[in-house]
Amino acid sequence: MSKRKVKETHMPVGECISQYGYIFQVQMILRERFCHQRLPEKPVGMESQHKHLLELLRRTAVHGESNSVLIVGPRGSGKTMLLNCVLRELLEVKDVNKNVLPVHLNGLLQTDDRIALKEITRQLNLENVVGDKVFGSFAENLAFLLEALKKGDRSSSRPVLFILDEFDLFAHHKNQTLLYNLLDVSQSAQAPVAVIGLTCRLDVLELLEKRVKSRFSHRQIHLLSSLSFIQYLDNVRSQLSLPQDFPDTNFYDEWNDGIKTLCEDQSVVDVLQRHYNSSKDFRSLHLLLMLALSRVSASKPAIKPTDLLEASRVCMVDSKANILHGLSILELCLIIAMKHLNDIYEGEPFNFQMVHNEFKKFLQRKSHSIHNFDKPVVIKAFEHLQQLELIKSMDSSTAKIQKEYQLMKLLLDHSQIMEALQKYPQCPTDVKQWAMSAFG
Amino acid sequence: MVRYFTRLRMRRIYKWGGRPYIFDRKLKSYGFEYLNMSVEGQEAVTTVTPGQYILIEGNDDEYPFVAKLLKFFGDESHKQKKALVQWFLRLSEVPQNKKLLLGRSPHPQEIFYYLGRACDNEINAESILGTVQHVPEDTPFPEPGTKDTLYVKLSWDTKAFNVLDPVLMQDTPASTPPKPALPLFPPCASPTATPVSRGPVRRALPTPDPTVMRRAGSVSDTRATMSAGKRSTLEAESIHSASKLSASKILSAKRRGSAADTPGVRKKLQLSPGKKMTRADVLCELLDEEMESEKVISLKLSSSVSHSLQHGCSLSPMRSGCKTPNGQRRFPWKLSSISLDRLSPTALGEQDLSRATTPSRRKESAMAIRKPALGVLAEEDSEDSPMQPIALTPRSKRKSAQLVSLRIRKQLNLLDNTQKLISDGDDDCFVPSKKDLQSSSDSEEETMVRKTRGRNGKASARTPCKTPSKKVCMVTPSTPRHATPSIPSRTVPARQPGNILEEARARLHVSSVPESLPCREQEFQDIYNFVESKVMDGTGGCMYISGVPGTGKTATIHEVIRCLQHASDMDEIPTFRFIEINGMKMTDPHQAYVQILQKLTDQKVTADHAAALLEKRFSNPAPKKETTVLLVDELDLLWTRKQNVMYNLFDWPTRRHARLVVLTIANTMDLPERIMINRVASRLGLTRMSFQPYSFKQLQQIITSRLNKVKAFEEDALQLVSRKVAALSGDARRCLDICRRATEICEHSTSHPSSAGLVRMNHVMEALDEMFSSSYITAIRCASLQEQLFLRAVIAEFRRLGLEEATFQQVFVQHRALSRVEGLQPISVSEGLAVCQRLGACRLLLLEASRLDMLQRVRLNVSQDDVLYALKAVRD
């Protein structure tokens, strides 16, 4: 990819074109960082964890020592990134590279042990050993794999690294057979294995059955970022900066200076502070920066504070308020009626009939401002609201009760309704007043 | 083999034949000369005589038991018909773990002479199904496809396969004339059996040429003399049987070569190492005369045996081991190495005995040879080193058997450790180099040798028979039936521990097997006594063992079995078979049947079928059964709604003939009462044992014994770990893991890994902290501002409601108010939900399904105090 980029930059047809080329290149580099989860040179702020994990896996690879470890941290805290960094570093060592067999499993993909076993067998290339034999039953498969692992011994067989993403989901498999067996292998003199679990649940150990838990080595690597806001800002800057090996130094300087000033801008700092307060993880930051980056073009070759503000607005926007903007007046009126019912009955559920009565009362008072809708039309509007999941049926057995009398609850907050009304284009004043009045 | 399906449909009728004679006055039993059996509705009558080989009804229709009939007797009333038999085993009846001792792929029709004492040799004569053809040692295995004959080449004394002693076969009353072939038999059998008077020898020899057989007697003399010469040389030889054998091989080859003077043979001999050549030369001189006589033998043979057969044979390991000159063994290395190995101990045994043997003895052995012994190996050896007849005393036999098994085990280990055979001094001759070339030239050589032998005109049944048999058994080079999978082996060997801490870590790993099992002496003794008594008595029983994880239940049982196995190897207790299943290692409780059956008999069948087979196996009396010790780990996993798996497991031991000892392990003490229905719990019985969690002293002892003088820990540090673990769970695994982690911390804390010192208190404390401290508080401290605010809002709302549960909507109102107080910009509902979900994903909060949106209820997964404590610390 970089070669192609270089080629493009070497077409100096004109200032504009080269400018375009650079922008394209910048977009490529930064997008790779934000979207493709490119591994950083070194994981930031987790040096000790990095060392611990690396040592552990190195011992498995070099000494054939079986281990098990859990990497625990909230979503977006860099668990996979840490593991991948460690694996990258581990596989750079030559005699380790040929010696380990990594097996990647994901709890979301391998939803039961049968699938997981097949996947393990596939990744270990064991299906070739038995020729074309198509695997029969789950039981055979398990026996087969255990046999294979049992055959090995510490000094002569290759260590297998079992990487279990979403480890907690494996704990929900029947009897935890897979976990038991993997951890049992790791605690007995069989082929050396390292079982690495990645999870965001802090209580993951409580999910394990006691005999499974006893076989786990109780090593947990916690990734809890204690990043201060200053570090966060630094990180934003380095994430947006271009790497040293950028072909054009002029553009490189220009861009990086622009980023530096951007990060010192007070409004930008405010936006970032808000984000930092909301969440410290890098995923959401990447989303924000990605939105800002997408507004960069050849004609506007830098990220401006306004870009970031706009991006932040998009990120922070309330999704339901957006839906409310698209409702018809009738539907809006129904929502307001529901709001009043909520106020009156203190959040008790309501049914269509009650909403309709409320709506009719409003119509009687302000008959001139709004059409009188037939009941079927109102029902239709009501159902539409249900489909949008702005209201939710309370009882599960929907079939039994007539539509009009099903109990519903409103999934909107006061503030959301009021905000939507303020922004609703050409909303009749009567409706607004009705919404704001204390009583229906 | 005769097809037996008829017996399913038809009733057989048994009648005594001949005149009864009093056989035992006390018991009033009468002996009979023969037994006539006929199938109802058919004319044909089968006569069974003592000395014949019979099939006896067993629990497997396909493979009935095989035995040799020794004597018939009945009681006065003639109602009961009994027979004394000598049992033969099929390979499937040999315990699974011993099958490997055979060292080659068994012929489907092969049976083994049973030397064990464990089974009753008196049977009901009415369980006889028919007679069977049986072939003495000299004959080759047939091509697969000829299914009507059984072959005995080896004997089995419950510990090892031995070359069959010809004398054992001798006790057949030679006086009884061979009966005409039985109607059940395929027609080919009758002509061979009838004409000659030396009945047992020729019984159903498949070799087409009867004249060959007639020559059998003459050879034995030469054999004996040959053996004498051999013995003298052997005395001088080293322990290394391989070289001995090879020498003898050269000898024989040379012998033949010199007589035949064929260039091919000469050439081969020149290839072999010089040293051995010289020895061979000496031998050659010594034996020259005897050789002369033997060479003569083979002429007619060459015509009778097809060339193609020979060719196929030459590939087989045994042949190669015996016949080819030393440097040129060219078989698939696996097979050849094992077979040679088996041969060598016999040679050793011979050496031991040779001095003691007197000439008279030799004569006797010569006599024995006259009646051809069963067993290829015997015959092989007798050609090269005719020690077989000499090695008669049981002591020597056992010795040699042990040697065999020992060496075979060694070999197998070797094989497992990839193909490093070359490095092993003993075995380097087995490198399969020049395989193709050799095999072809070898077969060529063989034929030539035969021709030369034949020229001399002296016939011997022995040699001709022998050659074909060897050849044929080679034809089926055993391809592994099920390729067992394995993890590929590493290119760089694992590094050994370098310093004290690494050494300690290796020793502390749970997987390392400790030299001894401290702190479980009492439990060990109890289980040992229980199993030992059951094995001794040949009875069955159940035992239930409970204990929390990591208290050494499985390890103790394995230790017990190890000790018992040792005892049975030392012949102190009868042999038994150990099978282990684990409820966690199967996908379904019914798989237990499949696994048990597979480990017992190596059959792979479905669960239902396996259950039926096991039921049959454990309920039918089988004379040759040895005790089975079954370990069922994680018993609770075998629970089914009907509990039939558990029921069967506990019911089988109570059967009279089952000889099954079931040891079950589970975690809970009251499992039988809690989950088992009465009839299951009752069968489990009251033999219970519970493993208490380790006390801190025991844990300390365990670590100390594991470390075994590797000084890596401070005493106090060890005590701290053991006390901490003992207070929490008493789980030895946990204890070891913490110690292991402490060594790591110690290693990292010192700057130079080489100078890493003792593991001290602070290291252990750190390790304990890591493993025991809950991470919730740290997680709360590291959460973002909004997340912390949300937690406070949750607590505030709980306080307001006086409940430990609130909906998101309610909490969010609080949250908004709090953020106003804090001077923060209020966040939108979507954002608030995201914050809530993040906390839920970490399980700081417990949430309902997110489709409930704002109505989902929120609970704290941490105590309120913890949250407040953590948040307070943040503010300060």
Side-chain angles (χ1 to χ4, degrees), chain A residues 51, chain B residues 501 745-758 763:
Chain A
K51 194 178 166 196
Chain B
L501 285 179
I745 292 172
C746 175
E747 200 169 51
H748 293 169
S749 63
T750 51
S751 46
H752 310 292
S754 54
S755 70
L758 280 179
H763 304 131

Side-chain angles (χ1 to χ4, degrees), chain B residues 331-349:
Chain B
F331 293 123
W333 57 274
K334 214 171 178 171
L335 288 175
S336 66
S337 61
I338 294 173
S339 68
L340 236 195
D341 232 44
R342 176 165 323 104
L343 291 178
S344 51
T346 52
L348 275 181

Side-chain angles (χ1 to χ4, degrees), chain A residues 412-432:
Chain A
L412 286 169
D413 194 52
H414 255 203
S415 57
Q416 285 171 304
I417 299 168
M418 300 317 285
E419 193 190 344
L421 276 175
Q422 294 309 324
K423 290 184 186 165
Y424 195 89
Q426 294 148 15
C427 180
T429 332
D430 286 338
V431 175
K432 269 190 193 172

